[in-house]
Amino acid sequence: MMQFITDFADQADILPVVATAACVMGVRGWWRGMWVWCTVIGLALGTMLLLKIAGLYYAWFMQARVFSPSGHVAAAIVTYGGLLVMLLRRVLVRHPVAMLVPLLGVAGVVGYTRWRLQAHTMGEVMVGTCVGCIAGLVLGMKCGPVPRSLWGYMLPCIAGVALLFHGFHLGAEATIRQVFSPEGLFPDHL
């Protein structure tokens, strides 16, 4: 069950969901939402990439265990939690702190699976949670009023794409370690 849940947060599932949501927003003419959605998610995923690279270099320089914040957690929060915040925005906008409820709900579920599967430490899950929640809050505050008609198209499309790509894995962590490994840049370092 843990693997089933965590697979919805793999980049092989998240990226098609993000692209589908952006396309639906564009086709339905909600340009502001599409722009904010793509920008915030791009910044969140980019931040996680930089944090993972920094963790590699920290471990290399300090001869310590690699600290690799959970990209699964951050991506799930900003994507699925962000969609929930947008869906509930009319209610939540009156109480911005209430936007944390759906974001932390997603964080709790996905973070727990990543920790239980021993894919990440609790500290790595917490860093992913912080990045995802900040991005989700920005998304909720900057997206503007969400057209009601959007959800009749958005939810079935996203659910279908999430199920279609469920179980696929991109292996982003291994790719990041291979491409950005300090050993490749500094082979003579002791």
Side-chain angles (χ1 to χ4, degrees):
M1 184 57 145
M2 297 291 168
Q3 191 65 49
F4 179 81
I5 293 169
T6 205
D7 279 351
F8 281 108
D10 191 278
Q11 298 304 318
D13 205 308
I14 290 287
L15 295 176
V17 166
V18 168
T20 300
C23 288
V24 171
M25 290 175 198
V27 167
R28 299 298 300 162
W30 191 39
W31 301 108
R32 177 183 175 144
M34 184 180 81
W35 183 84
V36 170
W37 173 258
C38 292
T39 302
V40 168
I41 291 181
L43 288 172
L45 297 180
T47 299
M48 290 308 297
L49 174 62
L50 292 175
L51 289 171
K52 285 179 176 287
I53 294 169
L56 283 173
Y57 282 83
Y58 171 80
W60 184 70
F61 283 120
M62 301 304 288
Q63 298 298 307
R65 180 189 171 279
V66 173
F67 184 81
S68 180
S70 179
H72 278 69
V73 172
I77 293 169
V78 72
T79 303
Y80 301 121
L83 285 167
L84 287 170
V85 165
M86 289 168 52
L87 178 64
L88 302 170
R89 188 176 187 281
R90 292 185 199 284
V91 175
L92 298 177
V93 76
R94 294 182 205 124
H95 307 286
V97 176
M99 287 186 196
L100 282 171
V101 172
L103 298 173
L104 291 173
V106 172
V109 172
V110 177
Y112 180 73
T113 65
R114 300 305 291 160
W115 177 71
R116 281 293 306 232
L117 291 168
Q118 298 179 352
H120 291 285
T121 65
M122 191 53 68
E124 293 167 340
V125 167
M126 295 308 295
V127 171
T129 298
C130 289
V131 171
C133 284
I134 290 168
L137 288 172
V138 170
L139 180 64
M141 290 187 277
K142 298 296 182 185
C143 71
V146 182
R148 287 185 188 260
S149 65
L150 183 71
W151 297 106
Y153 297 94
M154 179 91 74
L155 294 178
C157 290
I158 288 173
V161 168
L163 289 171
L164 179 67
F165 286 92
H166 184 265
F168 288 97
H169 300 274
L170 279 185
E173 188 80 26
T175 302
I176 291 167
R177 286 182 187 225
Q178 181 181 12
V179 171
F180 296 103
S181 172
E183 289 86 9
L185 295 175
F186 307 106
D188 296 330
H189 183 275
L190 295 175

